[in-house]
Structures are given as structure tokens and as C-alpha cells.
Amino acid sequence: MYLHNKHPASSRVARNNGIVILFLASLLSVSGIYHVGKSMINGWKSLTVEVGMEKPIDFLQRADECRFFAAGIYPNGNLAPKHGPPPNVYTVYPPYTFPLFALLYAAESLKLSLFILNLCSISSLSLMMWLGWRTLAAYGTSTAFLGAAMALGLAGNGSCLLRGQLSLICMGFVILQMELMKRNKPIPAGLCWALAMIKPQNTISFALLFLMRNQVIGLLFGALLVMILTAGALFWTSTSPMELLHVMTTGNALSFIHEPKVVIGVCSLTPHMSPLLLVIGALVLFLGASWYLVSITKDLKIPELTAFALCATLGFLLFYHHHYDTVMLFPLLLELVRKFLSGEERGSAVIAVAIILLGTAVYFPLWIMNFSPILMSLYLMAPLLALLMVIVSMRYREEIL
């Protein structure tokens, strides 16, 4: 458990506001069930309807890429294959992901593959709900219900399932990573991290967990798996590593960063700069922030959830993300709610404001957020404010597991 004892003050808060807590939990649950169910059903239907429905575009793009990869052709038209014409796809994913995608697209039927993807996503969402329930269970059953509903009601869940994205699956793997590390099993944790790296901009920051917990062997194992998969993918497609590196860092390889629907990350702040320079700048900031976080946490026994929230927020703020990646902010929101309920933190009013701002960013659908630049700014400003609050709290008060 993250908290071993109930806090009298927070228990009184939960009792006095039990109806409000249950109302919020019910509202988030109903909204979450509706949007998750609707997104999955529409995704399946769209595979058989030619026009008039939004299709799981990311899922279909990965299917096309895997079709070429299975034929021994690297799925990027900028690379001349050893046999046949260049493919008509231009993947933005690194080579080690395609052996992992091959497991998903092994089925002949796209509907079956989409069903497997949705099943994995719902399983990961269940892990997030379990984490929310367990974290807030110390404050009463109704509050535990709220913790689970906080995961279910995330606006990013619907868009993730509708597009056939991998954000939820990544969250599931890093939760398993965190739990295995808690049980001092770094090698299986490294495996989970390597699998989560199927979407690297979402999960590379969770490598810091291994450094924070002095379980570097897990990181080395996970990195080795990624290297082996990379070598295997390049060998299978007869692709030169240097040629691939050149293609990935020149031309239109990083043009997706400038797509108009980009809403989050350092890479979206200055659209007139070179995408390559933006990526390099984000990596430099990430390394500097990583060094700082590891240095201030190595002597503190901070809870797993706090470390989890720090890594998730750092990755969210520094790298390229779409709206469906807001599911990454669930650990941060959960940590803020835990701090607010604990009654041990100074500045509870500021924490409450941060919860409201962050809640707006993760629970309001994108079409509402698009109404105002002020609302859109919350995607960056709300998690940044919350991150600073968590860091300040760590600097002035050692938290005990």
C-alpha cells in the first residue's frame, strides 16, 4: 500500500463530502463507460463502412506498415528496398517496434487485430483503475471508488480507442514495471519497460524509475532487449543503420511534429524551428531534468506513486503528444488528490486549484478545449504547475513509504 494508515483529518473530509465524492465518481464512471464503449463500437463498425465514419486511422497505418515489414521491406518510402518498389508508407516509429507490432497484426482479420488491441487497452485501463482504487482506499470506500473512476473517465481514453492508439497499453506496462520494481524484480520490470517502449515518447521517461530505485540492472536488461529487436528488424529488412539514421533525421521524417492537431509538448511550441532541432532540444532538456530528479530523489524514500507521477509528467511535457496521450497525466492527478486528502501538505488550497486545472485538461474533450487558447494552454501549464508543487513538496518534506 502507498499509505499504511488512514488519516483522521482526511477521513473527516471524506465523510463530510461523501455525497460529492460519490457524485463525481458516478459522473466520471458513466462518462467513461459511454465514451470507451462508443469508441470501440465505432472502431469496429468503421472497418466495414466505406464512408461516413471516422476510422481507427493509427491502427490502419500500423497495419499497412506491418504488411511491408512482414515482406522484408522496411516501411518507409524514403528507403530504397533491396527488392521491389519503395513502399507507399512513411513510418515514424523506430525499427524495434515492428517485431512487437507483428504480434498484434499476426491475425489475418483486421477486426480480430483491433479486438486484440482493444482488449489490451481495456486491460491496461483496468490496471489504472486498480491503481486509483488502491491509492485512495485508505480514505474510505467512496474515495476508492473515485480513484478508479478517475482513470475510467479520462477524455483521452475515448480518442485512444477510436484511433487505435497505444497510449493506454503503454500505461499498463509501466504500471506493471512499477509494481515489479516495488517487489525488487528489476529484470521482469525491464521487460515491461521494453514492451512499453513500443511508443517511446510516452515511456522513455520511465527509465528514470530504475535510477531512482537503484535498480539499474532492469534498465540495462530492457535497453538490451530494445537493441536486439532493433538489430533483428534491420537484419530482416536488409536496412543499413546509417541510412535509416539519415532518413529519420532529414527531409520530412519529423514533419509530423508540425501537424496542426499537435497540442502538447516542447516540440509543438515553436513550429517555425527545425523539427530535428526541436527533438534535440527536448532530449537535452530531458537529460538535464532527469539528472535533477534523480539527484533530489536518490536520498529520499519517496512513494512509488510520487516517482511514477514525476516520470510521467516529465515525459508528457518534453516530448511530442496528441490529446490521447493525456492518459499519461493520471499518476500526477492521483498524486495531487492523495496529497490533498492526506491533510499533511501545506498550501492545500493551491493543491485544490492545481487539481481543478489539471482535471479540466484531462477530462474535458478536445472539442471543448479548442474553444479557447486559455483552455488549450492548460495542457502544458497545469501539469507544469503540478510538477513544481510535487518537487517543492519533496524538497522540504521527506515522505516515508
Side-chain angles (χ1 to χ4, degrees):
M1 298 289 291
Y2 295 109
L3 298 170
H4 297 287
N5 300 305
K6 291 187 177 182
H7 302 281
S10 59
S11 297
R12 282 198 304 272
V13 170
R15 286 197 302 268
N16 294 337
N17 298 278
I19 294 178
V20 175
I21 290 174
L22 284 175
F23 172 76
L24 288 175
S26 300
L27 182 64
L28 290 174
S29 297
V30 171
S31 174
I33 291 172
Y34 171 76
H35 287 104
V36 166
K38 179 182 177 181
S39 296
M40 287 194 298
I41 292 173
N42 286 347
W44 291 330
K45 285 184 176 179
S46 69
L47 294 181
T48 55
V49 176
E50 293 296 328
V51 295
M53 291 190 70
E54 183 177 357
K55 295 183 181 295
I57 184 64
D58 292 309
F59 167 80
L60 294 174
Q61 287 176 350
R62 300 295 87 74
D64 285 340
E65 292 165 2
C66 286
R67 179 166 52 86
F68 284 103
F69 180 79
I73 300 173
Y74 196 86
N76 191 316
N78 290 322
L79 286 168
K82 300 300 181 183
H83 57 278
N88 59 348
V89 293
Y90 298 86
T91 186
V92 297
Y93 279 76
Y96 64 83
T97 60
F98 294 106
L100 299 178
F101 284 135
L103 299 175
L104 173 63
Y105 290 99
E108 291 289 334
S109 167
L110 280 179
K111 280 194 171 183
L112 179 57
S113 294
L114 184 58
F115 173 79
I116 296 172
L117 177 65
N118 286 341
L119 180 62
C120 293
S121 297
I122 294 301
S123 298
S124 296
L125 180 56
S126 299
L127 280 175
M128 294 169 63
M129 294 172 65
W130 166 78
L131 177 63
W133 177 282
R134 188 184 69 171
T135 300
L136 301 187
Y139 307 106
T141 303
S142 61
T143 313
F145 177 32
L146 175 63
M150 284 168 56
L152 180 58
L154 293 167
N157 293 340
S159 55
C160 177
L161 290 164
L162 184 61
R163 291 181 63 97
Q165 259 290 330
L166 304 164
S167 305
L168 283 171
I169 293 177
C170 291
M171 286 300 298
F173 276 124
V174 293
I175 289 174
L176 291 176
Q177 172 196 343
M178 180 182 66
E179 289 300 312
L180 289 166
M181 292 180 65
K182 184 181 177 182
R183 290 162 173 76
N184 197 30
K185 296 181 178 180
I187 299 299
L191 172 62
C192 290
W193 176 76
L195 293 174
M197 280 288 287
I198 197 170
K199 191 170 184 184
Q201 71 268 35
N202 281 37
T203 49
I204 191 172
S205 59
F206 294 102
L208 298 179
L209 289 176
F210 295 106
L211 303 180
M212 291 179 179
R213 290 293 187 255
N214 294 317
Q215 297 185 27
V216 181
I217 184 65
L219 176 59
L220 295 176
F221 179 75
L224 178 62
L225 289 178
V226 168
M227 292 174 62
I228 291 173
L229 289 173
T230 298
L234 295 178
F235 176 79
W236 173 253
T237 57
S238 302
T239 301
S240 164
M242 297 308 297
E243 185 180 1
L244 177 62
L245 181 63
H246 174 74
V247 166
M248 292 179 65
T249 55
T250 59
N252 64 350
L254 299 172
S255 61
F256 65 93
I257 291 176
H258 290 165
E259 290 178 1
K261 290 186 178 180
V262 173
V263 293
I264 304 147
V266 167
C267 290
S268 67
L269 294 180
T270 52
H272 299 294
M273 287 184 62
S274 161
L276 179 58
L277 288 179
L278 287 174
V279 171
I280 293 174
L283 288 173
V284 170
L285 288 173
F286 172 68
L287 291 174
S290 300
W291 174 84
Y292 177 74
L293 286 182
V294 172
S295 67
I296 67 174
T297 58
K298 64 180 180 180
D299 296 324
L300 296 178
K301 295 181 179 180
I302 63 172
E304 283 86 0
L305 180 61
T306 304
F308 194 33
L310 289 172
C311 294
T313 311
L314 184 63
F316 182 84
L317 289 173
L318 291 183
F319 298 113
Y320 160 90
H321 296 293
H322 279 279
H323 176 256
Y324 39 72
D325 292 328
T326 54
V327 299
M328 291 175 62
L329 294 176
F330 173 66
L332 178 63
L333 183 62
L334 191 60
E335 171 72 353
L336 288 178
V337 172
R338 184 189 72 82
K339 286 182 177 295
F340 180 77
L341 291 175
S342 71
E344 297 178 355
E345 299 290 336
R346 292 177 294 178
S348 58
V350 180
I351 295 178
V353 170
I355 291 173
I356 293 172
L357 294 177
L358 188 59
T360 301
V362 299
Y363 292 119
F364 279 39
L366 183 58
W367 65 268
I368 292 180
M369 302 296 286
N370 276 326
F371 280 147
S372 168
I374 295 177
L375 289 175
M376 290 294 290
S377 69
L378 291 181
Y379 284 121
L380 285 173
M381 301 311 298
L384 181 59
L385 171 63
L387 178 66
L388 293 175
M389 291 175 58
V390 173
I391 292 176
V392 168
S393 172
M394 288 165 42
R395 295 290 293 177
Y396 288 98
R397 176 180 174 274
E398 180 174 344
E399 298 185 78
I400 305 300
L401 282 172

